[in-house]
Amino acid sequence: MPPRSRLAKIRNIGIVAHIDAGKTTVTERMLYYTGRSHKMGEVHDGEAVMDWMPQEQERGITISSAVTTCNWRDSEIHIIDTPGHVDFTIEVERCLRVLDGAVAVFCAVGGVEPQSETVWHQADKYGVPKIAFINKMDRVGADFFGVVAMMGRRFNSVPLPVQIPWGEADRFQGIIDLIRRKLVVWDGDTLGMAYSQGEIPPDMKEAADRQRETMIETLAEHDDELADRYLEGLEIREEDIVRAVRGATLKLRVVPVMCGSALRNKGIQPVLDAVLDYLPSPEDIPPVRGVNPATREEEVRHSDPQDALAALAFKIAQDEGRKLTYLRIYSGRIKAGDDLYNISKGRKEKASRLLKMHANKRERLESAQAGDIVAVMGLKEAKTGDTICDETRPLLLESMEFYEPVISQAIEAKTPADQERVSLALVKLMEEDPTLRLKYDDETAQTVISGMGELHLEVLIDRLQREFNARVNVGKPRVVYRETIQMPVEVEGRFEREIGDRRHHGQVTLQLRPRERGVGNSYVNHLDAEVLPAEFHGAIEEGVREAMMSGVIAGYPVVDVETLVKSASFREGESSALGYKIAASTAAREGCEKGGALLLEPIMIVDVLTPSEFMGEVIGDINARRGEIQSITPKGAVSEIRAKLPLKALFGYSTDLRSATQGRATFSMHFFRYDKV
């Protein structure tokens, strides 16, 4: 088979959604129907193939993204099942960075939930085409068209139903395929493996024709050939529609919407067909762009095994104590035993083994090429976001941005014997998880770990004790604050001192100004090389950055401040980099004091789904926690309350919410921004 045709038969997709929408159940069905697994694993039994970590099986949630491969219609589909919980959103981010397409799963009752919005916008950021699957059509309160309308309001893409349900809630029996004008019904006795196509029931014919007409009209806006046939009154064939849907999906203009019930084994095979019909192969995506470090010019690599190697390390995992580096290969090929060049680290390392992953099981490969997602053993230095390329044709791909932690917890080893194990384990866990931060506190002799939420830290501590046998005492979770200033100030920093046999001089004037919340720090240097030689400019910037790492109120990092270097004096023979660094650092700290230092705390957006009779209690509790109600949306018998609350007020919230609502309300939260305490 020529290499180009193999590429056309590959799909790299991710299953993304809000927690509990049914991502892992959808993935398990895909593996069963494609013959990849011979038993359906259920999340509620702790037997899902993709949720293989003990922590995932106990909690019934996905924590770490898992990679697998299956075959459908003579094509190869690489699937990444991602977490839905906000604490593990980095797993979604790094997977979307390397995927070509995504299947977004929505709950037919909950609709577009907060984390669905987050992952959708993450996919938009990387230009990833999507298809949507509205799951749980068999649940009471399921509303297919309600969810489609919600998608239209919340997202910039146009949702395009290519199926409609036959019945909803307990009357849900199958789907009506609008493209092929067929009713599809699944056989319960074969676990949904067998399904039959028939004529659309008479009572659904009018609704199906109307929806099909709407679908064709929407597509005609994006496809000239289809528009011509439609305007001339010619018959619109099945292949015309499939081609038009694919074209509009790849251009991110529309999102094909499908429906079903994964738990009841209905609706999954058409999703697999849609992955092949509408989502891109590595051939369809634009060539990957990067910078040649030698020339600083932008270069491209085509999705072709014959082109120079370019791959991105998007995930690091520990497997029985050995390090696995997950690579997405964009161009070129890799053979087991090859020397690979990590341009991000400037190091050569040997790929001792290449592995094709199926969750935590693996299969050895001799080689891999453009379009593949593989795990490599032997890359000791590689980190998430590193570029692996051909040393003779270097190319640095855009790295990844990581989120800042919002919560921290002190831990200490139980015994001196545990200390070494704890240190070693934390280094390995930090390699795996770029959102985990460590700090050693000299005063208390404790290690402070910081992460994305209570569950994130709970899982990390559980892993420390189980996987690494490192026993620790744990302190209470603490909020990670930030500091900023309230008004613009101008300050001078001066350093004059003899150190050894040399006099050091540095003088600099800085202007500090507050910036808008959440935009971060900026540094602007207007000094001319004639006023101050360029060799000292870096020292001033380093001094400012160091001062911003520790604020004047409680030593938290300083954010949302613009630092402007106004002037500096130079003395021949006395000026030194050390002098300017200390002068700049002193001036920046003094500026923070004079600028009205202010403590900022993390504010979260919280979405509570509660039976309407408990609304009063829930709203009262939010107000008591210094919360601010943003919106209240009735959804039948339940209501969605969206509010802004300080993270500090949310410790233990899940227990209090259950008590107030007889255990019937659920909530989710995601980080909004830092704001004043």
Side-chain angles (χ1 to χ4, degrees), residues 142-201:
D143 180 1
F144 176 79
F145 293 106
V147 179
V148 172
M150 212 171 171
M151 289 169 68
R153 288 195 302 273
R154 298 271 179 98
F155 305 137
N156 7 357
S157 332
V158 175
L160 182 80
V162 292
Q163 300 173 346
I164 56 172
W166 181 29
E168 284 180 350
D170 52 355
R171 297 192 312 280
F172 176 67
Q173 298 172 69
I175 59 152
I176 292 167
D177 183 336
L178 299 176
I179 297 176
R180 294 164 188 85
R181 287 179 166 160
K182 292 284 182 199
L183 171 71
V184 187
V185 180
W186 278 264
D187 177 6
D189 297 336
T190 61
L191 291 175
M193 187 69 94
Y195 57 99
S196 57
Q197 297 192 7
E199 293 306 310
I200 298 172

Side-chain angles (χ1 to χ4, degrees), residues 135-146:
N135 191 23
K136 306 192 180 184
M137 285 305 306
D138 59 314
R139 271 186 56 189
V140 175
D143 180 1
F144 176 79
F145 293 106

Side-chain angles (χ1 to χ4, degrees), residues 293 309 311 338-350 379 386-395:
L309 175 67
D338 276 359
D339 282 335
L340 300 182
Y341 182 56
N342 180 340
I343 192 163
S344 307
K345 297 282 183 290
R347 296 284 298 268
K348 270 175 102 162
E349 296 188 276
K350 189 178 284 293
L379 307 184
D386 283 1
T387 304
I388 307 295
C389 67
D390 187 331
E391 196 176 0
T392 58
R393 288 185 58 198
L395 184 78

Side-chain angles (χ1 to χ4, degrees), residues 164-413:
I164 56 172
W166 181 29
E168 284 180 350
D170 52 355
R171 297 192 312 280
F172 176 67
Q173 298 172 69
I175 59 152
I176 292 167
D177 183 336
L178 299 176
I179 297 176
R180 294 164 188 85
R181 287 179 166 160
K182 292 284 182 199
L183 171 71
V184 187
V185 180
W186 278 264
D187 177 6
D189 297 336
T190 61
L191 291 175
M193 187 69 94
Y195 57 99
S196 57
Q197 297 192 7
E199 293 306 310
I200 298 172
D203 61 326
M204 288 295 294
K205 195 140 182 40
E206 191 186 330
D209 288 344
R210 194 169 57 245
Q211 283 296 326
R212 189 174 195 270
E213 191 74 10
T214 307
M215 174 185 74
I216 292 169
E217 282 172 9
T218 307
L219 287 171
E221 292 172 24
H222 305 290
D223 187 288
D224 294 342
E225 204 178 310
L226 190 79
D228 291 343
R229 291 187 73 85
Y230 180 63
L231 292 170
E232 288 170 23
L234 298 172
E235 189 204 342
I236 310 280
R237 297 166 307 205
E238 183 187 310
E239 56 268 31
D240 294 330
I241 300 175
V242 171
R243 179 187 47 74
V245 174
R246 180 179 179 79
T249 305
L250 297 190
K251 289 178 187 154
L252 306 184
R253 302 259 176 81
V254 304
V255 176
V257 182
M258 315 176 78
C259 61
S261 167
L263 192 64
R264 302 279 170 260
N265 312 315
K266 293 175 182 174
I268 299 299
Q269 292 94 333
V271 175
L272 285 163
D273 287 336
V275 165
L276 300 182
D277 289 341
Y278 309 136
L279 291 181
S281 72
E283 272 187 347
D284 298 315
I285 58 167
V288 68
R289 296 180 177 277
V291 174
N292 182 328
T295 62
R296 312 303 304 166
E297 296 286 316
E298 188 179 77
E299 291 184 10
V300 298
R301 293 283 183 275
H302 295 276
S303 200
D304 183 348
Q306 308 308 321
D307 207 341
L309 175 67
L312 189 76
F314 68 94
K315 180 177 162 74
I316 307 293
Q318 301 295 332
D319 184 41
E320 295 169 0
R322 285 175 301 202
K323 180 172 167 180
L324 284 181
T325 306
Y326 284 80
L327 292 184
R328 161 69 202 263
I329 306 173
Y330 287 103
S331 61
R333 61 174 76 234
I334 297 174
K335 291 194 182 76
D338 276 359
D339 282 335
L340 300 182
Y341 182 56
N342 180 340
I343 192 163
S344 307
K345 297 282 183 290
R347 296 284 298 268
K348 270 175 102 162
E349 296 188 276
K350 189 178 284 293
S352 54
R353 283 188 193 173
L354 290 183
L355 305 165
K356 182 194 269 189
M357 300 303 291
H358 176 50
N360 61 332
K361 298 181 179 67
R362 50 193 193 213
E363 199 180 298
R364 287 184 71 163
L365 296 172
E366 286 310 309
S367 68
Q369 61 186 38
D372 287 340
I373 291 176
V374 292
V376 182
M377 268 188 183
L379 307 184
K380 293 187 177 66
E381 298 287 324
K383 294 264 192 304
T384 303
D386 283 1
T387 304
I388 307 295
C389 67
D390 187 331
E391 196 176 0
T392 58
R393 288 185 58 198
L395 184 78
L396 188 61
L397 301 174
E398 185 189 348
S399 191
M400 299 185 199
E401 292 171 14
F402 301 122
Y403 300 95
E404 288 300 314
V406 295
I407 191 169
S408 65
Q409 205 163 8
I411 59 169
E412 58 186 16

